[in-house]
Each structure stands twice: as structure tokens, then as C-alpha cells.
Amino acid sequence: MTSRVTSRREERGTVAASGRPPGPSGEVAASLVEEAAKAAQQRAYLTHPDVVALHVEQVRSQVDRLCWAGIVLGLAFTMTNVQAFAAAGAAAWSLPWLSAWLLDPMVSLVLLAILRAEQVTARYRVRTGPWVRRAKWLTVAATYVMNTWASYAAGSIAGVVLHSVPPLVVFVTVEAVTDLRDKLTESVANAFTNAASVKRSGPVHEPERKRPARRSERKLFGDYLAEARTAWSPGVVITPAWVRSVTDCARGLSPRLAAELRSEVEQSIADDANSATPEVVA
């Protein structure tokens, strides 16, 4: 018991003398290293361009659904007021009263068609012409005027405010959703640009592998000559064209190969003739 107390006091004295607590044990250090490696791997996956593009597409879908829901609800709210404006007090279920219901859908469908087209052009960052924005503003302005005309004529401020909110919300949403789609597309492009700048290559699910060095496939003069020597047989005329046909060498190299092989063949024939001649004894 006394020895344990003494050892603890010595350890505390060592800590006090050094001015800092002892470092973590080996197990704690290994655990921290493992957690750091896992965190780095997770960050590499989360910042990969393909993963970023997937997240942006999910956000883009959510933004489109919410904006479309708000636009459709706003246009539906204005339908009754536009019908009353177009009917102009006609009797219910009469022909003018029924045809008045077609005015608001006519304007709203044109606006929705423009928004649907901009949904595609914004994805690929294609700018539309000035008439597209003019048509968009004209349809929203027409809806606003027809929706608030009765309130202005009656001098009802509350009615003007009430019937001004939906068209104005639709107008602001129509302008904002185009910029939002453009910025979302730009964020995907920035993710791929940043990935290219740090030279991060390869798909997410495959680690980066080092490619083996490619062996040189260049053939030397001796290699071509050996191929021609193997292909030659007695009776074959050695010409540059024949050498090219059997070795697939370049046109400029074939005359040298033909001359070298012809020299070897002639030398071989001469040696064979000399060895076949009987020696004359003096």
C-alpha cells in the first residue's frame, strides 16, 4: 500500500515538474488515429463531385416542387376573381358566365409553359431571349389587373391588399426560381472544377490505383532482321517490299534490312560452296 502511494506521488511530482499532464496511452492514440482516418474518408466521399451533384439534384427537386405548389395555389386563388371580372355580372350558367372561366386558365397555362421551359434551360445554363421575360411579366401583370380591378373600383384597400398578395407572390416566385436553378447548376460546376484542381480522379466506390508503367514496345533493327531471317526460305527473292510484308517495318527501313539479309544469305551460300570444294594436294 505504501509503495502505491509513493509511486502516485512520484507520478504527480513528474507532472508538476513538466508543467503538463502525461500524453494519452497507446490505445487512446490508436483510437484517435482511427477516428481521424474515418473522418477524412467520409469527407472525401461527401466532397466528391458525383455526391455533390446528387445532393444538388435532390435539393433542386425539392425547390421545384415547393415553387410549383406555391405558383399553382396562387393562380388557383385568383381564378374566381378573374372569372367575376370577365363575367361582368352575367347570369350564372349563362354562356358569358361559363366562357369567363376560360380566361384565367388561358393566361395561367401560358405562364406555366414558360416556367417549364425555363426549368430545362436553367439546368443547362442556356439564356433565353427577351421575349420570354416579357411574356412572363405580361401574363402575371394581366392576372394582377383582372384580380384587383373590382377592389380598386370599389375603393376597398383591404380588398386590394388581399387580392394583390397572390399575384405578387407568383411574380416574385417566377423570377426567383430561375435564379435559384441557375445557382444550383453553378454549384455543381464548381464542385467538378474544384475536384479537377486538386486532381481527384476515379469514381467514389473505387480507390485510386497506380497504373503500372507501360513497357516500351519499340522494335530495334535486330528484331526486324531476325523476323526477316526466320521468314526467308531458299528461292525467295529478298526485296524491300518482301521485307515489309513479313516484318511490317517502315518503308525507309526496309532497304537496309533487305541489303543486310541479302548479304547474309550470299555469305552463307559462299561459305557452303567453299566447304564443298575438295582440297588440292600439292
Side-chain angles (χ1 to χ4, degrees):
M1 184 67 180
T2 305
S3 60
R4 292 181 181 177
V5 175
T6 304
S7 62
R8 290 179 181 176
R9 290 178 179 177
E10 291 177 355
E11 184 179 354
R12 292 175 182 176
T14 304
V15 173
S18 60
R20 55 188 177 87
S25 61
E27 297 181 357
V28 177
S31 177
L32 293 176
V33 171
E34 184 178 0
E35 291 180 2
K38 290 181 180 180
Q41 184 179 10
Q42 184 178 6
R43 176 175 174 79
Y45 276 72
L46 292 176
T47 56
H48 194 279
D50 292 334
V51 178
V52 173
L54 178 61
H55 289 171
V56 171
E57 287 298 330
Q58 294 174 352
V59 173
R60 188 200 300 272
S61 300
Q62 296 174 1
V63 171
D64 286 338
R65 293 192 190 99
L66 294 175
C67 290
W68 278 105
I71 292 172
V72 171
L73 291 176
L75 294 176
F77 180 84
T78 62
M79 183 178 296
T80 55
N81 293 323
V82 173
Q83 191 274 342
F85 172 81
W93 303 105
S94 63
L95 186 60
W97 186 87
L98 292 175
S99 61
W101 285 103
L102 302 178
L103 181 59
D104 185 78
M106 178 191 69
V107 179
S108 300
L109 288 176
V110 174
L111 177 61
L112 294 177
I114 296 173
L115 295 180
R116 185 67 182 93
E118 286 186 342
Q119 187 178 14
V120 179
T121 57
R123 179 184 295 271
Y124 299 101
R125 309 183 74 175
V126 178
R127 297 295 180 182
T128 56
W131 279 105
V132 175
R133 175 159 290 188
R134 293 170 187 171
K136 187 166 54 176
W137 287 1
L138 178 62
T139 53
V140 176
T143 303
Y144 175 82
V145 171
M146 291 185 295
N147 192 55
T148 58
W149 184 267
S151 299
Y152 277 112
S156 175
I157 299 178
V160 172
V161 173
L162 176 62
H163 297 296
S164 296
V165 171
L168 292 178
V169 170
V170 171
F171 175 76
V172 173
T173 306
V174 163
E175 290 296 325
V177 70
T178 304
D179 293 337
L180 288 176
R181 291 166 182 162
D182 185 65
K183 295 303 180 183
L184 290 173
T185 303
E186 185 178 355
S187 63
V188 175
N190 290 338
F192 279 94
T193 303
N194 295 336
S197 64
V198 298
K199 297 181 180 180
R200 183 180 300 162
S201 61
V204 176
H205 57 277
E206 293 184 1
E208 184 177 359
R209 299 177 180 177
K210 294 184 178 180
R211 296 183 178 180
R214 304 180 68 181
R215 298 179 59 184
S216 176
E217 298 180 357
R218 183 179 179 183
K219 297 173 65 174
L220 303 178
F221 181 85
D223 299 331
Y224 288 114
L225 183 60
E227 291 182 4
R229 189 184 299 116
T230 304
W232 181 83
S233 60
V236 175
V237 179
I238 303 174
T239 60
W242 175 84
V243 172
R244 289 196 301 272
S245 65
V246 296
T247 62
D248 196 21
C249 65
R251 182 178 294 273
L253 186 61
S254 58
R256 293 177 52 196
L257 290 171
E260 183 67 22
L261 181 59
R262 192 182 304 112
S263 176
E264 291 184 0
V265 171
E266 293 175 354
Q267 183 65 32
S268 177
I269 294 175
D271 292 342
D272 293 342
N274 291 335
S275 61
T277 304
E279 296 181 357
V280 179
V281 181

